[in-house]
Amino acid sequence: MADLVGTSIGQYQIIERLGRGGMATVYKGYQPALERYVAVKVLDPSVSSEELFLARFQREARAVALLRHPHIVRIYDFGHVNDMYYMVMEYVDGQSLRERLRAAIAESRFMPIQEVLGIVWSIASALDYASQRGIVHRDIKPGNILLSADGQAVLSDFGIAQMITSSRLTLSGLVGTPNYMSPEQGQGLEIDHRTDIYSLGIVTYEMLTNQVPFSSDTPFAVVMAHVTRPLPSLRKLRPDIPPAVEDVLAKATAKEKDQRYYRSMEFAESLETALAPVLESVSGAKEGVMFCPRCRAPLESGQ
């Protein structure tokens, strides 16, 4: 796909490229009429060449545009110009969780437990909100979790995986990212909102350990590890984490979806309970710890 920097798509001026993936390129754009910056996601032309793509694109984009949640990136507009399909979204001035993790690894440290819990709580609330409206994300991963400048976590790319089902992009009919893919997703079986819970569990494991539980030289081998291998022990990498956290992650990432938490917030609440000893230690008090009702991080005295 040609670089669109310096051009315009409809009423949006393309300023710079923010990133590129297998499905699309994301640009920072400017909308003069409303004097605001936006994120413009342009789908790869080969993705949109599939017959009936337009109808599916419009259907999914309309459904996702109706989502109104503080931890879901808003979709402002969508359309197509000269067979180029695009979505215009809220611009989040910050970094992705992927970038946040890379910085932690580079500095040989782990993310603060309060921050991990706050991200899980935020994304879990977004997933429950979406699932109540019949929408499954299908591609929960650090690259799709954005961290704003004021520390809020928001989930992007709702609907993208559902829109894109061409065999060119979905090896053996799969949609998603192998490192975070549920067993049923990896096997091409029917999925529901519990697939997103599994993926959020894998992301949580990575936030706590700085590494994904399964890795290999090929995507297929990673998928098969999710299908057949138990979750590696988290405490071998983080002995400071309470044993109860391993139990919570084991349930969130159970191979059979019926054995997982039914709601994402059940997972977040269980994780908070399991991490309570660590949170109390961080807060400097063993009793009476108050938690922020928005991000679930412990509050400092006087807040």
Side-chain angles (χ1 to χ4, degrees):
M1 180 189 298
D3 192 343
L4 300 177
V5 174
T7 67
S8 293
I9 299 178
Q11 60 179 308
Y12 308 101
Q13 299 170 0
I14 305 302
I15 298 174
E16 64 176 294
R17 191 170 80 172
L18 298 176
R20 177 174 174 79
M23 299 179 181
T25 302
V26 182
Y27 296 93
K28 181 179 180 180
Y30 182 70
Q31 186 180 11
L34 294 179
E35 298 183 339
R36 68 179 177 185
Y37 291 103
V38 295
V40 182
K41 181 179 288 287
V42 181
L43 302 186
D44 191 281
S46 57
V47 173
S48 57
S49 62
E50 183 185 349
E51 189 177 359
L52 302 179
F53 178 83
L54 176 59
R56 183 170 63 252
F57 176 80
Q58 291 178 331
R59 180 178 66 250
E60 297 298 331
R62 287 184 182 124
V64 177
L66 293 176
L67 297 178
R68 299 286 189 276
H69 190 277
H71 298 293
I72 295 177
V73 172
R74 289 280 306 278
I75 291 182
Y76 296 140
D77 192 12
F78 61 90
H80 64 104
V81 177
N82 299 326
D83 296 325
M84 180 173 62
Y85 291 79
Y86 66 91
M87 300 179 70
V88 181
M89 303 170 292
E90 169 188 4
Y91 174 69
V92 179
D93 187 12
Q95 62 179 178
S96 70
L97 177 57
R98 170 56 59 212
E99 293 168 319
R100 181 77 176 82
L101 282 164
R102 285 175 178 167
I105 293 170
E107 296 169 7
S108 300
R109 60 177 176 80
F110 295 113
M111 290 177 59
I113 293 297
Q114 307 100 304
E115 184 179 11
V116 171
L117 183 59
I119 291 171
V120 171
W121 192 274
S122 298
I123 301 307
S125 67
L127 291 175
D128 278 354
Y129 171 87
S131 68
Q132 290 165 7
R133 287 153 182 79
I135 297 177
V136 179
H137 190 285
R138 299 169 182 255
D139 196 18
I140 303 297
K141 60 184 179 181
N144 283 336
I145 297 174
L146 308 180
L147 308 176
S148 66
D150 63 357
Q152 294 299 308
V154 290
L155 187 55
S156 69
D157 274 8
F158 260 107
I160 295 294
Q162 178 69 7
M163 294 171 194
I164 300 170
T165 58
S166 69
S167 59
R168 185 193 73 82
L169 284 172
T170 57
L171 298 175
S172 302
L174 304 181
V175 176
T177 303
N179 283 334
Y180 309 93
M181 191 177 289
S182 70
E184 64 271 16
Q185 197 173 8
Q187 296 175 88
L189 304 175
E190 182 179 353
I191 68 170
D192 60 21
H193 64 284
R194 289 168 292 185
T195 281
D196 287 344
I197 294 174
Y198 181 96
S199 298
L200 181 57
I202 298 298
V203 170
T204 303
Y205 183 102
E206 183 177 10
M207 284 193 288
L208 291 171
T209 66
N210 283 349
Q211 60 184 261
V212 292
F214 305 116
S215 60
S216 186
D217 294 335
T218 67
F220 178 76
V222 175
V223 169
M224 291 310 299
H226 280 286
V227 173
T228 62
R229 289 169 51 188
L231 193 71
S233 171
L234 178 142
R235 298 191 74 243
K236 284 186 177 181
L237 301 170
R238 290 290 304 273
D240 58 312
I241 297 295
V245 174
E246 285 198 325
D247 297 333
V248 171
L249 287 177
K251 183 171 182 178
T253 61
K255 303 302 182 185
E256 298 294 331
K257 60 184 178 181
D258 289 343
Q259 297 176 7
R260 295 175 205 151
Y261 295 101
Y262 188 74
R263 294 186 305 109
S264 295
M265 285 305 300
E266 289 183 69
F267 166 52
E269 291 162 357
S270 297
L271 183 65
E272 179 180 351
T273 299
L275 285 170
V278 179
L279 295 171
E280 290 169 355
S281 175
V282 169
S283 69
K286 293 298 183 181
E287 296 181 358
V289 178
M290 299 297 293
F291 290 91
C292 170
R294 185 173 185 180
C295 70
R296 308 312 295 169
L299 296 175
E300 301 292 339
S301 59
Q303 285 186 279

